Amino acid sequence: MAFVDQVKINVKAGNGGNGMVAFRREKFVPNGGPAGGDGGRGGNVVFVVDEGLRTLMDFRYQRKFKAKNGGNGAIKSMTGRGADDLIVQVPQGTTVINNETGAVVGDLVAPDDSVIVAHGGRGGRGNIHFASPKNPAPEIAENGEPGQEMEVRLELKVLADVGLVGFPSVGKSTLLSTVTSAKPKIAEYHFTTLVPNLGMVRLPDGQDFVMADLPGLIEGAAKGIGLGFQFLRHVERTRVILHVIDMSGVEGRDPYDDFEKINHELQAYDPDILKRPQIVVANKMDMPDAEENLTQFKADLDQDELLAEKPEIFAISTLTHQGLTPLLQRTAEVLAQTPKFPVKEAETVKTAEYDFQQKPDFTITRDTDGVWILSGDKLETLFKMTDINHDESLLRFARQMRGMGVDNALREKGAQNGDTVQIDDFSFEYMA
């Protein structure tokens, strides 16, 4: 199955059911009052972790998810049936992001995690709720509240305890295949690994952890060059980084220069990544010049004043299995001491403040024909919940607009008696 780790989909929660206008019509109740029932709640769209999924491939074929609407209210004050929630299964490690605002809706990392992505609308009230001494038989009922609708971006970040980073062809895939039962594609050319590969490392003492071989980096990866940008998203989840370096230098690259370049790309993407433990894996030590290059690498590392903490170095050869046991044992020890890194919420808070400041209750524009156009989420929701088939409901909506300040705003914009005002696809005549 192809590995897909980023998709955009549209979700639509169910609308609430409409309230009903009805009256009691019973033989021995001569003055029967209102008896219209409320509408039922619309279904939510809920994302739930399915541990059996490993990719977002299924979302390539289904891009729209819509929950059912609530049932309408009925006579004799009967409430409409609430709709069932729409359950959407996603892989563990999926982040749900509002594509319009960039706000994080949910981060599903635990096996039992779930999040309501779109809330269903509440049911509209029947006319039984609008009775009063002045109006004992109201012909007013609400339509159901519209369910939330949005485009969301799903990002899958592999859940690995340990991530292998490094330039292409340094031996990451070979290391993974040697210490786990994973079978990644291995070949003697760059970018053999195009998608993350995961494997389980099991030690003789009973310890185990998940290791991920992540696609190779090149310079400029943090800016989207090559495969690195796709790779960098996945390293965010890892708790320990194994920095694999080709110590043989057979491709003419300087090992310490490779080390600095990879760390530069990690820092450019997210400075916090370098705060997590990093172990240098000096690979291909079975090659002729590897020992000399390792000695020079350690000397360069000691002279580097920018590194606050020098990483541990383990010399290995995936071909001869030299040094693998000490490396894995030390990795397990560091992993046991390293907590999981919390999900960042700064972007969510910033976006929420932006929405609060930038979205007014209503806006007024005028088209080329001189028609005044009213828009805005709050105003449009109130209109959609208005039953335009009953005059009393329309009068109630007119009072709601006046209370929101729509009348005064139209007057200040220059609206005159007889001008046409439009909300959605409904038009009416403005009267000051």
Side-chain angles (χ1 to χ4, degrees):
M1 178 180 290
F3 184 86
V4 178
D5 61 355
Q6 237 186 348
V7 294
K8 293 179 184 177
I9 63 174
N10 183 272
V11 294
K12 172 70 169 70
N15 299 332
N18 298 334
M20 187 174 191
V21 174
F23 298 93
R24 296 179 66 181
R25 293 289 186 268
E26 300 173 34
K27 184 175 181 180
F28 299 106
V29 185
N31 298 317
D38 300 341
R41 179 188 65 84
N44 301 319
V45 179
V46 184
F47 282 19
V48 177
V49 167
D50 181 348
E51 294 184 79
L53 295 177
R54 292 289 180 269
T55 174
L56 297 173
M57 173 61 76
D58 291 348
F59 295 96
R60 284 287 179 92
Y61 305 108
Q62 184 178 356
R63 296 296 184 98
K64 294 185 178 181
F65 295 84
K66 183 178 180 180
K68 293 183 178 180
N69 299 331
N72 295 333
I75 60 174
K76 297 184 179 180
S77 304
M78 290 189 290
T79 300
R81 180 171 182 167
D84 294 332
D85 293 340
L86 175 63
I87 305 299
V88 180
Q89 295 176 327
V90 296
Q92 190 175 355
T94 300
T95 302
V96 186
I97 302 169
N98 185 320
N99 197 52
E100 179 183 356
T101 65
V104 176
V105 179
D107 197 40
L108 307 174
V109 295
D112 57 349
D113 275 357
S114 64
V115 62
I116 298 177
V117 177
H119 291 264
R122 68 172 177 86
R125 293 177 293 175
N127 69 332
I128 192 174
H129 294 280
F130 298 97
S132 66
K134 291 185 177 180
N135 187 8
E139 293 191 4
I140 301 175
E142 290 178 331
N143 289 338
E145 180 183 26
Q148 289 183 324
E149 182 176 9
M150 70 177 76
E151 184 181 57
V152 297
R153 185 170 73 252
L154 304 184
E155 292 187 355
L156 176 61
K157 302 172 186 177
V158 296
L159 290 173
D161 301 308
V162 177
L164 302 176
V165 306
F167 270 88
S169 299
V170 296
K172 300 188 301 298
S173 297
T174 306
L175 174 59
L176 181 72
S177 65
T178 302
V179 300
T180 74
S181 59
K183 302 298 180 185
K185 182 179 179 181
I186 300 173
E188 294 183 356
Y189 56 84
H190 288 188
F191 299 113
T192 308
T193 306
L194 299 177
V195 300
N197 292 302
L198 279 75
M200 177 67 74
V201 178
R202 300 185 187 277
L203 301 181
D205 60 2
Q207 297 186 81
D208 56 35
F209 55 85
V210 178
M211 178 182 288
D213 163 26
L214 302 163
L217 283 167
I218 61 174
E219 285 186 85
K223 298 179 181 178
I225 299 175
L227 300 175
F229 190 74
Q230 299 167 354
F231 144 80
L232 286 166
R233 182 186 313 114
H234 298 289
V235 80
E236 293 178 26
R237 300 282 194 205
T238 60
R239 293 155 60 192
V240 176
I241 296 174
L242 295 188
H243 194 147
V244 185
I245 298 175
D246 179 1
M247 205 57 66
S248 67
V250 293
E251 295 193 9
R253 298 199 309 264
D254 177 68
Y256 194 75
D257 186 50
D258 285 0
F259 172 75
E260 287 189 316
K261 286 178 179 177
I262 293 295
N263 280 339
H264 173 75
E265 296 303 327
L266 293 174
Q267 185 174 33
Y269 179 76
D270 183 357
D272 289 340
I273 290 179
L274 291 184
K275 294 180 181 179
R276 59 199 68 189
Q278 184 175 146
I279 297 174
V280 172
V281 181
N283 192 21
K284 303 186 182 180
M285 293 302 297
D286 54 302
M287 301 293 285
D289 297 328
E291 288 290 348
E292 182 181 343
N293 290 337
L294 179 58
T295 302
Q296 183 61 46
F297 181 89
K298 291 179 178 178
D300 293 338
L301 190 65
D302 290 336
Q303 295 175 7
D304 194 331
E305 298 178 354
L306 297 178
L307 288 174
E309 185 175 347
K310 302 296 190 280
E312 295 181 74
I313 302 175
F314 284 81
I316 71 163
S317 169
T318 54
L319 184 64
T320 65
H321 294 191
Q322 168 194 343
L324 293 181
T325 299
L327 169 65
L328 297 179
Q329 194 63 48
R330 181 54 183 158
T331 301
E333 293 172 0
V334 174
L335 189 61
Q337 302 167 4
T338 306
K340 292 184 179 180
F341 291 87
V343 179
K344 296 180 180 180
E345 296 291 350
E347 185 179 14
T348 306
V349 174
K350 179 180 178 182
T351 304
E353 292 176 353
Y354 172 83
D355 288 346
F356 176 78
Q357 295 171 0
Q358 298 295 323
K359 289 190 175 180
D361 291 344
F362 64 90
T363 57
I364 300 175
T365 57
R366 198 173 192 183
D367 65 12
T368 54
D369 295 329
V371 177
W372 298 96
I373 308 296
L374 300 180
S375 58
D377 290 344
K378 184 175 180 179
L379 182 63
E380 289 177 4
T381 297
L382 287 175
F383 172 71
K384 290 176 182 177
M385 295 181 69
T386 299
D387 185 355
I388 61 175
N389 295 316
H390 291 87
D391 291 341
E392 288 188 39
S393 293
L394 286 172
L395 290 173
R396 177 172 176 264
F397 178 61
R399 291 193 297 270
Q400 289 174 324
M401 285 198 300
R402 187 176 299 111
M404 293 173 63
V406 175
D407 287 7
N408 291 335
L410 283 169
R411 189 179 302 111
E412 291 172 0
K413 291 278 188 179
Q416 303 293 324
N417 286 344
D419 285 356
T420 300
V421 180
Q422 182 174 324
I423 303 175
D424 199 11
D425 57 354
F426 180 76
S427 300
F428 61 92
E429 190 175 291
Y430 174 73
M431 299 295 293

